[in-house]
Amino acid sequence: CLLTVAMAEQPPPPPLQLLQTSLIPPATPSRKAHLYLSPLDLVWREFHFIRRVIFYDMEADQYASAVDCLKRSLSEALVSFYPWAGRFVVGEDGRVAVDCNDLGVEFVEASMDVSFKELEVNGFELKPLFGKLCQRIEHPPSNIFGIPLLSIQVTQLLHGGMALGYAHSHAVADGHSMWHFMNSWAECGRGMPISVPPLHDRTLLKIGVASKDSAARFSFGFPEAIKSTEATASQQAERKPSGLAQRVFHFTADMIKKLKTLAAEEGKGDFTSYEVLCAHFWRHVTAARRVEDNAVVCLAVLVNFRSCLSDPLPPSYFGNVINLSAAYAIAGQLYSESLATSASRIREAVVRGKSEDRFWDFLHFLEVHDNLFTDDLLAPMLKVVCMNVASSFRFPMYEVDFGWGRPAAVRAARITGGIGEIVLFPGRSGGGSVDVCMPLEADAMERLGSDNTFLNF
């Protein structure tokens, strides 16, 4: 198991030299219109931008032509993915939409005195400098208008190598759609037509008049037995912070296969890689944080709902189709129960997340509550010690080849979802390997990294 670490006491990152900023519009004008945003889009409108960095190995003399290729192909890709070039606007009905006005995608060119080879030798460990490799789009919740919905930054590294960073509004695309776009852009970079054109009809998730009865039925499935406990996340909040550490844990395909075998031997039936890996992290991270035995713990999961509808949406649907669910336990249960039992909790949460009735209830809930993450929605998780799972190791990240080869690594610029967030990436070696990026209190991260039962099982 490869373990890389970024600790709070690392030296400050080298300065970034900003060379040029431009706006890239579609190569041909788009049809001017306001794009309807579904409740599943609008709920993310005030959320922080999603930031990722893709590293490429190349010779220094390839860099200039690569940047030209990125600009040209981005303009071509935006002909199909034109919402990225628009801006948020309030329509005549008072609802936020995307004004497809072709103002363009922000394109930033930069350089940084950091060696690609050094990053590579260190396994592209998470470093503070990664946060400088894509733009940090800041906006107050009341002012989401006028800013680019997608920012691209290309950074030249020392002695060859490129970092391609992006920051995008989650209201425009979920992870599935974002990597659909990135691979389509790469196809344009290789001189190929886009193989899977995007579907932009978001009215497919329009519910009409919101029903308060339907909204009232939605919940995260907070168990009654857990509601009665007085132990809450406040117990955990009383701990004095020890600084923040961010790490990448590499789980090989063999390691995940072994986890699946262990869970199958303990329980009944087979478990998925997602179920056993998330259960493994949930159990060990909770222990590393020394959460008290009687505290309620939660693992929030996201479900791609495109194929779960009775009338399925195609994979090409461009937007957000994420349903939320959560697994709960008492910390002492996690410590004592089998991996199979913990994995079963996550399976039950995923099954709840795949309920179509619950999905439509969620959309009604959002519409009734102005399509915001309200306290009513998040209350169960705010009262407990919660972790969450983001991204997916099934996203085709390492297929983003513009013509100079597969990525050397894909990383989070900085994990901003909170302590204990698990961000999943496919391992570059493929075959079912997984890279897990996560932030944690520094002392808890040290305990996790030295836990033999976590890294060796």
Side-chain angles (χ1 to χ4, degrees):
C1 173
L2 172 65
L3 172 64
T4 56
V5 57
M7 298 299 289
E9 58 268 21
Q10 281 194 346
L16 180 78
Q17 290 80 44
L18 289 175
L19 305 177
Q20 182 177 333
T21 300
S22 57
L23 290 173
I24 306 294
T28 58
S30 305
R31 181 177 64 87
K32 300 299 187 290
H34 286 182
L35 178 71
Y36 171 83
L37 297 177
S38 83
L40 296 177
D41 300 314
L42 288 176
V43 72
W44 300 105
R45 65 189 183 275
E46 296 179 2
F47 200 68
H48 62 76
F49 275 39
I50 306 301
R51 304 164 72 223
R52 302 286 184 256
V53 182
I54 309 174
F55 293 93
Y56 290 97
D57 190 6
M58 64 176 60
E59 298 298 326
D61 59 6
Q62 292 181 277
Y63 182 80
S65 62
V67 173
D68 289 342
C69 171
L70 288 172
K71 288 182 175 180
R72 171 189 55 77
S73 56
L74 176 58
S75 182
E76 293 171 358
L78 290 176
V79 174
S80 295
F81 291 87
Y82 55 87
W84 284 131
R87 299 293 185 270
F88 286 135
V89 67
V90 177
E92 294 181 358
D93 59 357
R95 188 184 184 92
V96 175
V98 175
D99 182 8
C100 300
N101 54 21
D102 289 349
L103 286 183
V105 166
E106 183 179 61
F107 193 94
V108 178
E109 299 171 59
S111 65
M112 181 180 281
D113 290 340
V114 61
S115 168
F116 174 89
K117 294 302 180 184
E118 182 178 339
L119 296 176
E120 185 177 42
V121 167
N122 291 322
F124 294 96
E125 65 183 26
L126 292 178
K127 291 179 175 292
L129 68 88
F130 288 8
K132 292 190 172 187
L133 297 178
C134 56
Q135 292 297 294
R136 186 177 179 88
I137 308 289
E138 298 284 5
H139 61 83
S142 60
N143 186 21
I144 61 174
F145 309 101
I147 60 174
L149 303 180
L150 172 64
S151 174
I152 301 296
Q153 180 177 316
V154 56
T155 305
Q156 184 174 23
L157 305 178
L158 281 178
H159 315 305
M162 167 194 287
L164 176 62
Y166 68 72
H168 78 85
S169 169
H170 204 327
V172 178
D174 59 16
H176 174 96
S177 286
M178 186 61 196
W179 290 105
H180 174 199
F181 164 71
M182 293 299 293
N183 276 281
S184 299
W185 177 16
E187 287 178 325
C188 293
R190 299 196 304 273
M192 301 170 59
I194 292 176
S195 59
V196 184
L199 172 65
H200 292 299
D201 184 7
R202 304 193 187 196
T203 62
L204 293 171
L205 295 179
K206 191 173 185 177
I207 60 172
V209 178
S211 164
K212 291 184 178 180
D213 290 339
S214 296
R217 288 196 298 266
F218 178 79
S219 76
F220 275 105
F222 202 58
E224 291 297 328
I226 291 179
K227 283 183 180 179
S228 62
T229 182
E230 295 181 359
T232 68
S234 62
Q235 295 174 326
Q236 192 68 16
E238 290 170 0
R239 298 176 66 251
K240 292 183 178 180
S242 59
L244 185 69
Q246 299 199 41
R247 291 188 179 183
V248 182
F249 295 93
H250 179 71
F251 277 67
T252 66
D254 285 342
M255 292 172 70
I256 294 175
K257 183 178 179 180
K258 188 171 182 180
L259 284 175
K260 294 171 73 172
T261 299
L262 289 171
E265 290 173 349
E266 295 171 345
K268 296 180 180 179
D270 296 329
F271 292 92
T272 66
S273 298
Y274 180 88
E275 290 162 352
V276 297
L277 185 63
C278 291
H280 188 68
F281 269 81
W282 191 22
R283 290 152 56 85
H284 285 273
V285 170
T286 301
R289 297 181 74 187
R290 294 179 174 171
V291 178
E292 296 184 18
D293 285 2
N294 65 336
V296 181
V297 290
C298 162
L299 183 74
V301 298
L302 305 177
V303 177
N304 180 354
F305 216 82
R306 286 170 175 80
S307 63
C308 299
L309 292 165
S310 54
D311 187 10
L313 294 174
S316 60
Y317 179 96
F318 188 75
N320 286 275
V321 199
I322 295 173
N323 202 11
L324 307 182
S325 190
Y328 295 93
I330 303 297
Q333 295 174 328
L334 281 187
Y335 300 152
S336 61
E337 69 189 21
S338 66
L339 175 64
T341 301
S342 300
S344 294
R345 295 181 188 274
I346 295 171
R347 171 171 290 181
E348 291 168 2
V350 172
V351 169
R352 282 197 303 274
K354 289 183 177 180
S355 163
E356 184 165 7
D357 288 340
R358 185 177 178 277
F359 175 80
W360 291 112
D361 287 344
F362 182 39
L363 268 67
H364 282 277
F365 182 97
L366 293 176
E367 286 284 13
V368 166
H369 293 86
D370 298 323
N371 295 305
L372 292 170
F373 280 119
T374 64
D375 289 343
D376 288 341
L377 176 64
L378 299 177
M381 290 189 292
L382 295 174
K383 293 179 180 178
V384 302
V385 181
C386 192
M387 295 173 57
N388 68 287
V389 185
S391 187
S392 172
F393 51 76
R394 294 188 176 91
F395 291 156
M397 303 179 187
Y398 285 95
E399 297 175 22
V400 183
D401 179 359
F402 290 90
W404 47 79
R406 298 170 64 237
V410 183
R411 294 288 184 260
R414 183 169 178 81
I415 303 171
T416 52
I419 290 175
E421 180 175 34
I422 301 170
V423 186
L424 303 177
F425 295 85
R428 190 181 191 278
S429 57
S433 61
V434 180
D435 288 338
V436 183
C437 300
M438 66 175 300
L440 205 56
E441 302 96 342
D443 56 349
M445 187 70 84
E446 185 176 356
R447 287 191 292 270
L448 182 66
S450 60
D451 179 358
N452 288 331
T453 62
F454 175 60
L455 300 177
N456 301 289
F457 41 83

